[in-house]
Amino acid sequence: MSRQLSPASFEEARAALSQAAGDGHSVRIQGAGTKRGWTPAPADAELEIRTESLDRIVEHNAGDLTAVLEAGVPLARAQRQFASAGQMLALDPFLGPEHRATVGGILASGDSGPLRHRYGAARDLILGMTVALSDGTISRSGGKVIKNVAGYDLGKLFCGSFGTLGLILSVNVRLHPLPVATATALGVSADPDQLAAGARALAAAPMELEALDVAWRDGRGGILAQVGGAQARRRAETVATAMRAAGLDGVETTDDDADLWARQRAGQRSPIAALVRVAARPSALAQVLRAAGPCSATIVGRVSLGHSYVELEPDAVPELLRRLPPSSIYTVLDAPTGTLPEIQPWGPAPPDAALALMRRLKARFDPAGVCNPGAFVGGI
């Protein structure tokens, strides 16, 4: 069993990582563990560094719409503090049991939710970052203001790196005003082409949507479009009119939409089946929806981004992969242990040049090769 350590300071974290590297011990870096099954990181790592004690909201600069958070801060707790000032961190992934997901874990896994439609990915909300590296150094980049050009952009590099480059200690983030109200328009169709056409029309319309999602189950699907602000209900009716013009059925609006979007976020995880994240061109949405049918799969996804989260039985995954559009890229996020031995979790290997670049980055930031070894593409 791995020895566990929960450093309470940057210096403790730096020293633990440096000592492990010096001893040649592999290290598993973990937040709340809500996405522990997402990568094939070694279960036999000699040391597990957990960020749960790095849990301070260091600064909340309400006037500047910025904050500084340590990596172990649960996102739900940070959002409550921001909301008290009428603000939010525009990052809304599924937070796992008891909403335990931490800021560092969310960033390291590149996770996101429906708000990505308007506000971008986690990497787009970072102003600066502090990390510990296996060579014993603490590195900082960026700053605390929205406009800055200080140092290398470590934030974009570490987001989605799954802890293979080093340990995120803290992050400086950009906040946004919290909408005073939200409302959602919904429309349904059993025709993948019609649903996809309606989705494209809404994505291209100048409606300033907070989120634009698709859901598909049992041969029928729907589009959810959320708007925010003091006139949210009126704006939702405008969106509903556009949905009817696109030929969608059963169009309605609601300003009691929290549960709708909670279900969309929950659909990005699967506690019992397999979950495959598919990245395809937005124009290929109808093809992705059709691929779900023979596999008895359900889908939630981001219309404008071409990201779909497909839940299905593990033995149906090979069939799904055969039916996906040729240009799509997949990642297996969740799957019961031992059910997909023949499936590469990161999908087809990237081009040799891209993989070589990623390996050079790994060697530069983690020369000892001890940080979450084997957790990333190509066994990095």
Side-chain angles (χ1 to χ4, degrees):
M1 179 179 292
S2 302
R3 181 170 63 91
Q4 294 186 354
L5 182 67
S6 299
S9 69
F10 291 4
E11 176 57 29
E12 287 182 25
R14 180 207 65 78
L17 189 55
S18 176
Q19 182 65 47
D23 294 339
H25 293 167
S26 59
V27 179
R28 178 155 194 153
I29 299 169
Q30 181 171 295
T34 60
K35 291 176 278 290
R36 190 179 178 97
W38 275 21
T39 70
D44 58 349
E46 288 90 343
L47 176 65
E48 183 173 276
I49 297 180
R50 305 175 66 97
T51 62
E52 58 193 0
S53 295
L54 295 171
D55 63 348
R56 293 187 307 142
I57 299 176
V58 181
E59 297 179 20
H60 175 201
N61 305 305
D64 292 332
L65 284 165
T66 63
V68 180
L69 309 170
E70 290 187 343
V73 174
L75 178 58
R77 174 156 66 88
Q79 296 285 35
R80 288 193 295 270
Q81 176 163 325
F82 301 151
S84 67
Q87 299 173 356
M88 66 175 180
L89 176 57
L91 187 59
D92 64 333
F94 181 62
L95 298 179
E98 301 176 356
H99 294 178
R100 292 188 295 110
T102 61
V103 171
I106 291 167
L107 298 180
S109 60
D111 205 3
S112 61
L115 288 179
R116 183 169 178 175
H117 169 81
R118 178 168 185 177
Y119 298 99
R123 66 199 300 270
D124 301 309
L125 303 171
I126 295 175
L127 303 175
M129 183 176 282
T130 300
V131 301
L133 304 178
S134 62
D135 64 0
T137 61
I138 291 179
S139 183
R140 295 176 173 85
S141 73
K144 300 179 183 178
V145 295
I146 293 174
K147 288 186 177 181
N148 75 78
V149 290
Y152 295 105
D153 200 344
L154 288 178
K156 287 185 171 59
L157 191 60
F158 272 67
C159 276
S161 66
F162 284 86
T164 56
L165 300 179
L167 170 61
I168 298 174
L169 298 173
S170 70
V171 61
N172 310 342
V173 293
R174 174 185 183 182
L175 305 179
H176 287 84
L178 182 67
V180 295
T182 62
T184 297
L186 307 91
V188 300
S189 176
D191 182 348
D193 291 304
Q194 186 176 57
L195 197 69
R200 288 197 300 272
L202 289 172
M207 295 180 176
E208 295 186 352
L209 300 176
E210 295 288 302
L212 178 61
D213 260 24
V214 65
W216 184 266
R217 178 188 293 271
D218 298 331
R220 188 171 179 81
I223 297 173
L224 301 85
Q226 186 184 61
V227 293
Q231 300 297 316
R233 189 59 186 260
R234 179 184 61 80
R235 294 177 58 209
E237 293 294 345
T238 301
V239 178
T241 299
M243 287 183 171
R244 295 185 185 98
L248 297 179
D249 301 323
V251 177
E252 59 180 302
T253 64
T254 177
D255 52 12
D256 184 16
D257 59 356
D259 288 344
L260 289 174
W261 293 100
R263 286 197 292 272
Q264 286 297 105
R265 291 190 292 272
Q268 297 178 204
R269 298 299 307 274
S270 177
I272 57 173
L275 191 109
V276 180
R277 181 172 60 196
V278 177
R281 293 187 179 95
S283 59
L285 175 59
Q287 293 173 266
V288 175
L289 297 178
R290 285 198 190 90
C295 304
S296 300
T298 63
I299 294 177
V300 301
R302 312 285 97 84
V303 167
S304 299
L305 301 172
H307 290 180
S308 299
Y309 296 82
V310 187
E311 183 181 27
L312 70 172
E313 292 301 318
D315 58 8
V317 171
E319 178 70 13
L320 172 73
L321 301 183
R322 284 193 292 270
R323 291 178 175 274
L324 289 176
S327 60
S328 60
I329 300 171
Y330 72 86
T331 307
V332 178
L333 298 181
D334 293 320
T337 302
T339 56
L340 296 174
E342 304 301 322
I343 303 297
Q344 293 296 322
W346 290 104
D352 290 344
L355 188 55
L357 176 59
M358 286 188 279
R359 285 178 171 152
R360 289 200 299 273
L361 284 170
K362 169 72 171 177
R364 171 62 182 84
F365 283 90
D366 179 26
V370 299
C371 295
N372 281 7
F376 203 54
V377 179
I380 292 174

